[in-house]
Amino acid sequence: MLPSRFFPGAHNFLINESQFVQDNSTTINNYHPTTPSRCLAPQYEETDFFVGKDIKQKLREELKFVENAGIDDDKICLPDTRREIIKDITKWVQLKDDNTSRTYILCGEAGTGKSAIAHAVGKELQEQQLLVVFFAFNRSLLESRTPSNALRTIAYNLGVGDNDFAEGLFQAFEGDPTISGSTNEPRDRLLSVLMSGKRDVPSNFRVFATSRLENDVIVYVDKFIKRDSSAKVQKMTDIKGTDEDIYRFVVKKMTSQGGGLGILEESQVLPMASTVCKELRGGGKGGLSVQIRFQDFMATAPGSIKTLTPLDKLYMIILEECFDDEAMERYQDVMGLVLSVFEPLSRTSLKRIQIMCPQHQSRNRDGERRDTTIDAVVCFLGSLFAGVDMLDTPVRPVHTSIRDFLLDEGQSGKFAINTSQGHTTLVWGSLHLMIKDLHFNMCNLKSSYVFNSEVRDMKEMIAKGIPLELEYASCFWDEHLSQIEVDKSVVTLLEEFWYRSSLFWLEVLSVLQRIHVVSRAIENVRKFIGSGDKVCKLGVLRRLFLADHNSFKTLLNETQQFVRVFGQAITDSTPHLYLSAIPFIPKESILQQVY
């Protein structure tokens, strides 16, 4: 029989004499995917890795890019607003002068409309048939919207749009297979790349970026201006016509509702106009007309408040209208959950994770089941959070300044949110959810004969077999674990999860193309448990630790090595977790006893 395609040369071989590779060893059993092993299959000819796969698929395999980080039509400027600045940017993009700066920086405070301009510029350039690569950072998506993922996503989209660029990427991958694997690129590295000016960017490239004027950004902007005499740096405060744009915005939002019109005096804060419009159109307090409430909001204009910015004062007024002192326990409980997630979750998913936490299966001091508190809070926040009126739409702040406000006790006072309880709830809820719902063959895959990427309707099968809350729990439970203090009851729960459900967790991660989460999770568990002495003092060494803490550490090490050896194989074809990976676990290992 010819060698198996899934493990080339797997005929008559040994795996390091049935021993796992040690952590400090550089010898790894290399796996090179061609096509999945077909159990009891006939002989096959050797084929090249890339046969039958287009450029997009090859790039997808090499670059773990971020989806849904591109241009959003709902976030572009209203028609006939910001026309001068948009015209200036698009004209700069099309200049063919080699002396023109390759980089344009648009900077300003939170809420000044930078993102809307960026989305509008990207949309307009796309309509002109230019190759546009767009990546939107989002403080509500801290796990995925990182500098490293930005660079990978930009590279992916450039490769998809330009075959020559794709070929250059493949050559780079061949020269250094680890080039796309970095997950910890610092922000200053990205700033350095973006503001390289004319030196390192081809003449037909343009880099347009928006940013708040934070300290590190200011440093790089100053260096950029000094290094490049043609540097393009635009501050939002210097853009003309903002008053007129805000007027158009208010008219657009309010006239169709039959409400009164007004012109905000603040000349910078478009999110303020948006928030006021939404709140005026909402319920508010009884007995107050739209006109009276509008005048209350106008009292927050610059100069009337000494301690808070106009936006912060507006947020404070809205929260005071929605929640009195009796509702603060529910408010803190729910908002801690909403602001602690690394990717926004819907009301349905939030409720499912919350109710899986034992602390929320009881009743609060008013005798109300805690699982009902999600709706009792978020449904009143439609002017501050998107998705609150739909069960299956992610709940997220309509602007990043809202998140900043709620996490700053100095600004939000009694409405400030401490996320520690939210992280604790998410740890308990996620672990209990995985223990309960994870099982063999989550997506009902029919065959080991094909790659995951070749399975028909794979996305639909994932959506049906792995609910969003379970997907989130599988990918982020350990990140929440890293945010809480060590607790013996949590360690006990970790034991139960690892021994009962970790195999099915690996299956889910392989289907989701997130097997890299395993190594990160193991590191976070190690840090959480700490040294053996610390755990002993907590009194949590039980039978499941297999007699001592060192055994559990060995189990973690073996799981990590298992994924290093077989991770790529099971990512390419999930059934081979059971068919090809587990059979080769050394018989004397602790992992063999568990799996």
Side-chain angles (χ1 to χ4, degrees):
M1 179 179 289
L2 291 177
S4 162
R5 291 212 198 167
F6 203 70
F7 292 98
H11 185 79
N12 296 328
F13 77 104
L14 295 175
I15 301 182
N16 288 347
E17 299 180 349
S18 299
Q19 297 295 320
F20 278 110
V21 181
Q22 296 301 310
D23 281 339
N24 58 359
S25 173
T26 58
T27 303
I28 299 293
N29 290 317
N30 292 320
Y31 157 69
H32 303 283
T34 52
T35 192
S37 174
R38 312 185 185 225
C39 298
L40 302 179
Q43 300 180 7
Y44 291 96
E45 296 293 334
E46 289 294 334
T47 58
D48 185 82
F49 172 41
F50 291 140
V51 171
K53 297 186 178 182
D54 59 17
I55 290 176
K56 189 173 183 179
Q57 178 61 30
K58 289 187 285 184
L59 288 172
R60 184 183 293 270
E61 292 169 354
E62 292 288 350
L63 296 165
K64 306 301 182 183
F65 70 100
V66 177
E67 297 185 277
N68 303 319
I71 297 169
D72 188 340
D73 290 347
D74 293 333
K75 294 183 178 180
I76 65 175
C77 303
L78 286 176
D80 300 321
T81 63
R82 301 297 196 188
R83 295 312 307 165
E84 289 301 318
I85 183 63
I86 293 174
K87 180 180 178 181
D88 180 64
I89 297 168
T90 54
K91 181 179 178 180
W92 161 77
V93 169
Q94 298 173 9
L95 285 175
K96 298 182 179 180
D97 185 354
D98 286 344
N99 293 321
T100 299
S101 176
R102 311 290 192 265
T103 305
Y104 191 124
I105 307 296
L106 180 64
C107 49
E109 299 302 322
T112 52
K114 303 180 297 297
S115 296
I117 292 173
H119 285 277
V121 169
K123 182 72 172 178
E124 186 162 319
L125 294 175
Q126 277 186 340
E127 292 173 351
Q128 296 177 19
Q129 303 300 310
L130 296 180
L131 174 56
V132 178
V133 175
F134 192 102
F135 188 91
F137 286 96
N138 189 324
R139 294 181 186 228
S140 298
L141 301 168
L142 297 177
E143 174 66 19
S144 61
R145 304 295 174 91
T146 64
S148 295
N149 284 341
L151 294 174
R152 274 192 287 269
T153 303
I154 291 170
Y156 170 81
N157 284 294
L158 285 173
V160 169
D162 187 282
N163 288 344
D164 290 337
F165 192 90
E167 183 62 31
L169 286 174
F170 294 137
Q171 291 177 5
F173 297 150
E174 289 181 7
D176 182 2
T178 66
I179 194 171
S180 65
S182 174
T183 58
N184 296 308
E185 289 288 352
R187 174 165 132 155
D188 59 353
R189 175 72 179 276
L190 179 61
L191 289 171
S192 177
V193 171
L194 292 178
M195 300 189 193
S196 59
K198 296 196 292 281
R199 298 182 306 159
D200 304 319
V201 182
S203 60
N204 61 333
F205 271 54
R206 296 291 184 271
V207 178
F208 173 61
T210 68
S211 177
R212 299 183 188 184
L213 279 172
E214 297 175 340
N215 291 336
D216 56 342
V217 175
I218 293 174
V219 171
Y220 275 94
V221 167
D222 288 342
K223 290 181 179 179
F224 175 43
I225 294 173
K226 292 177 181 178
R227 184 174 63 244
D228 186 351
S229 59
S230 62
K232 299 285 289 184
V233 177
Q234 175 69 59
K235 294 183 178 180
M236 292 297 295
T237 51
D238 297 333
I239 296 177
K240 298 179 180 179
T242 302
D243 290 340
E244 292 80 3
D245 289 343
I246 291 178
Y247 178 79
R248 294 188 186 98
F249 182 89
V250 174
V251 169
K252 173 74 174 178
K253 289 294 183 181
M254 297 302 293
T255 52
S256 62
Q257 305 299 319
L261 300 180
I263 303 174
L264 297 180
E265 296 178 14
E266 171 57 48
S267 63
Q268 298 179 0
V269 191
L270 281 173
M272 183 175 184
S274 174
T275 304
V276 170
C277 290
K278 289 180 181 179
E279 187 66 13
L280 289 175
R281 288 159 55 184
K285 289 183 178 179
L288 296 181
S289 66
V290 171
Q291 289 80 4
I292 293 175
R293 297 178 68 219
F294 182 74
Q295 293 301 321
D296 288 342
F297 288 134
M298 290 305 95
T300 68
S304 62
I305 305 297
K306 301 301 183 182
T307 58
L308 296 176
T309 67
L311 265 180
D312 289 348
K313 179 60 177 177
L314 175 62
Y315 299 154
M316 183 71 80
I317 290 176
I318 292 172
L319 290 171
E320 287 175 343
E321 278 198 356
C322 294
F323 306 106
D324 55 25
D325 291 341
E326 292 184 0
M328 290 309 295
E329 180 186 3
R330 301 184 189 90
Y331 164 82
Q332 295 283 349
D333 196 26
V334 172
M335 293 310 297
L337 201 62
V338 171
L339 295 181
S340 296
V341 293
F342 291 98
E343 290 185 357
L345 293 174
S346 67
R347 286 162 51 191
T348 298
S349 295
L350 287 168
K351 285 192 284 187
R352 185 80 200 287
I353 292 178
Q354 188 187 53
I355 193 57
M356 291 304 298
C357 182
Q359 296 90 322
H360 287 80
Q361 293 173 357
S362 59
R363 299 177 181 272
N364 63 19
R365 65 183 184 184
D366 298 324
E368 179 185 34
R369 279 184 61 88
R370 288 181 178 266
D371 62 302
T372 64
T373 59
I374 296 287
D375 291 344
V377 173
V378 299
C379 291
F380 291 89
L381 294 172
S383 57
L384 301 179
F385 286 79
V388 301
D389 55 348
M390 303 291 289
L391 285 175
D392 297 315
T393 301
V395 176
R396 68 182 77 199
V398 296
H399 193 268
T400 56
S401 60
I402 296 171
R403 179 184 179 85
D404 296 341
F405 169 74
L406 292 175
L407 295 179
D408 186 346
E409 186 175 4
Q411 298 297 311
S412 50
K414 67 177 183 179
F415 294 105
I417 301 300
N418 185 335
T419 58
S420 59
Q421 182 56 48
H423 287 299
T424 300
T425 298
L426 286 161
V427 168
W428 280 93
S430 295
L431 289 172
H432 276 290
L433 181 64
M434 290 189 291
I435 291 171
K436 179 178 182 294
D437 286 1
L438 291 178
H439 57 80
F440 172 73
N441 200 9
M442 293 288 297
C443 295
N444 196 27
L445 297 176
K446 302 295 185 182
S447 173
S448 63
Y449 281 42
V450 294
F451 284 107
N452 287 350
S453 61
E454 296 170 350
V455 175
R456 290 185 179 181
D457 303 322
M458 187 62 158
K459 287 186 177 180
E460 289 75 12
M461 295 171 72
I462 291 174
K464 182 178 180 180
I466 308 174
L468 289 177
E469 59 270 16
L470 186 58
E471 176 179 337
Y472 180 89
S474 298
C475 294
F476 295 108
W477 65 267
D478 65 295
E479 293 281 65
H480 295 293
L481 185 74
S482 69
Q483 302 296 317
I484 66 175
E485 296 295 327
V486 65
D487 179 90
K488 63 181 181 181
S489 57
V490 176
V491 176
T492 301
L493 185 60
L494 281 171
E495 297 171 9
E496 182 180 0
F497 163 71
W498 213 272
Y499 286 90
R500 287 181 53 182
S501 304
S502 61
L503 176 61
F504 306 133
W505 172 58
L506 296 182
E507 178 191 322
V508 167
L509 292 179
S510 72
V511 170
L512 296 175
Q513 304 285 298
R514 302 291 291 271
I515 201 70
H516 63 276
V517 168
V518 178
S519 292
R520 184 197 70 199
I522 289 174
E523 289 304 315
N524 282 332
V525 171
R526 286 173 177 151
K527 292 176 182 177
F528 181 76
I529 294 177
S531 66
D533 289 341
K534 185 174 182 179
V535 175
C536 286
K537 291 177 181 177
L538 290 172
V540 296
L541 292 183
R542 299 169 57 232
R543 179 178 57 82
L544 288 176
F545 269 104
L546 303 179
D548 59 51
H549 184 51
N550 289 330
S551 295
F552 186 65
K553 289 175 63 177
T554 300
L555 178 58
L556 293 177
N557 292 339
E558 290 185 357
T559 303
Q560 193 168 44
Q561 290 299 325
F562 177 79
V563 170
R564 285 178 179 173
V565 174
F566 297 107
Q568 185 61 58
I570 64 179
T571 296
D572 283 342
S573 182
T574 298
H576 285 272
L577 168 64
Y578 304 100
L579 295 174
S580 303
I582 290 180
F584 287 115
I585 297 177
K587 293 182 179 180
E588 302 301 322
S589 71
I590 298 175
L591 195 63
Q592 179 69 260
Q593 300 174 34
V594 174
Y595 287 175

